[in-house]
Amino acid sequence: MMNVETPTAVGSGTAATAKFTSTRISAETPPERLAAIATDVLEAFATIIDRHGITYPEYRVLKQWLIDVGEYGEWPLWLDVFVEHNIEVVASRGRCGSKGSIEGPYYVPDTLHLPSRCTLPMRPDESGTKLVFAGQVRDLAGNGLPEATVEIWHADAEGYYSHFASNTPDGILRGTVEVDADGRFEITTIQPAPYQIPTDGPTGWFIEKAGWHPWRPAHLHLMVKAPGKRTITTQLYFDGGEWVDDDVAAAVKPELILRPRTDADGVAHAAYDFVLDPA
Ligand code: MBD
Ligand code: FE
């Protein structure tokens, strides 16, 4: 049965950690490279400790906080909010196609396959402004890619993601869209709300103690794949939306901002085409 209580930091953190650890990762980093990286990490610690004169109480608070992040399952959240944007910049070096952005902690693979014109799974009474998101997947030469898939996932109108918040049914506001013969798609959904980092867990405490804000602008997550092409993982934002200019996760790029128009029925229509590099 679904738990309809207000989601907690430990609940979404634990779910994100369980999802992440369900597949085993290998990076095949050679020992010399590993040693060089480890040396630099330790050197960064040494520099910070020396520069700020870090005290024993501060060291013990750090230790306790690191333990808390693990116990709340928030390592996927904390890392994706504060570190992943740097990784993404390095990973997208040399690309010519559409811009990528961070994946974040809430991707779920193998979601429901949907035809090119589709409506995402949602509750019968899903709240939020209706959004029609349309576009085309192409190669660098401008040819439509009929075998592409557009995986999409986003928060609901309260900022909660299915599979990670106890008040949302599994599978909603997620799907794997199969484009048409021209590479086109038209996805009907609702506009997500901005996302607030849970304030009742160690990532939220960290942000609060530093005097920062815990918000990400409203966004759609996309993962676009086609045979023989480099997969794009990206996010799209909404022009003029709150926090677009001040994302806690630093994952907004000017090329990733949608400018939807609203029709006479109050439905928002947004367009975006994905251009994929060769693999
Ligand atoms: C999100 O929804 C997100 O996209 C990222 C990157 C981090 C935390 C929550
Ligand atoms: Fe997100």
Side-chain angles (χ1 to χ4, degrees):
M1 204 183 77
M2 197 175 72
N3 173 2
V4 290
E5 274 156 39
T6 306
T8 59
V10 68
S12 63
T14 302
T17 292
K19 193 261 302 184
F20 184 80
T21 55
S22 68
T23 47
R24 219 52 221 173
I25 322 278
S26 163
E28 278 143 35
T29 306
E32 315 77 56
R33 176 174 161 83
L34 180 72
I37 296 166
T39 299
D40 281 2
V41 169
L42 296 177
E43 205 176 280
F45 266 107
T47 303
I48 295 162
I49 291 162
D50 178 64
R51 186 191 300 153
H52 297 277
I54 302 298
T55 65
Y56 257 102
E58 287 168 339
Y59 173 65
R60 293 188 187 109
V61 166
L62 170 67
K63 220 189 230 183
Q64 180 60 252
W65 178 81
L66 290 167
I67 291 164
D68 289 343
V69 175
E71 288 186 350
Y72 277 71
E74 282 196 346
W75 281 118
L77 178 67
W78 193 90
L79 287 164
D80 292 351
V81 168
F82 292 110
V83 179
E84 192 187 353
H85 64 101
N86 299 304
I87 301 289
E88 194 278 326
V89 167
V90 172
S92 63
R93 279 179 189 162
R95 284 197 177 215
C96 303
S98 303
K99 294 285 179 193
S101 187
I102 63 180
E103 178 179 315
Y106 302 139
Y107 171 69
V108 173
D110 306 318
T111 52
L112 187 67
H113 277 244
L114 295 162
S116 60
R117 287 170 144 260
C118 62
T119 298
L120 293 188
M122 60 178 80
R123 304 164 179 108
D125 57 347
E126 193 69 44
S127 58
T129 302
K130 193 168 159 185
L131 170 68
V132 179
F133 172 62
Q136 187 187 27
V137 185
R138 294 193 291 265
D139 65 14
L140 290 179
N143 305 302
L145 295 171
E147 290 184 280
T149 55
V150 177
E151 288 175 78
I152 180 168
W153 69 104
H154 64 81
D156 69 9
E158 288 191 86
Y160 294 117
Y161 284 88
S162 64
H163 297 260
F164 299 94
S166 56
N167 61 350
T168 55
D170 279 1
I172 69 158
L173 305 177
R174 297 175 181 274
T176 301
V177 179
E178 295 174 357
V179 301
D180 72 11
D182 298 318
R184 294 185 191 279
F185 60 87
E186 187 194 273
I187 302 164
T188 298
T189 184
I190 55 100
Q191 253 184 265
Y195 175 84
Q196 184 179 30
I197 309 290
T199 53
D200 56 333
T203 304
W205 306 332
F206 169 88
I207 291 166
E208 191 197 320
K209 294 285 182 192
W212 304 335
H213 73 74
W215 292 95
R216 296 213 62 224
H219 55 278
L220 304 176
H221 287 272
L222 290 313
M223 194 179 288
V224 184
K225 299 174 180 170
K229 300 291 179 273
R230 264 175 90 162
T231 297
I232 293 182
T233 301
T234 195
Q235 299 187 22
L236 295 170
Y237 306 90
F238 299 91
D239 189 37
E242 254 190 314
W243 315 110
V244 169
D245 298 320
D246 191 17
D247 177 9
V248 66
V252 179
K253 300 178 186 182
E255 299 87 348
L256 301 178
I257 299 176
L258 299 170
R259 284 172 191 76
R261 77 180 162 81
T262 304
D263 70 19
D265 298 322
V267 178
H269 295 259
Y272 191 87
D273 296 340
F274 298 95
V275 178
L276 268 51
D277 287 87

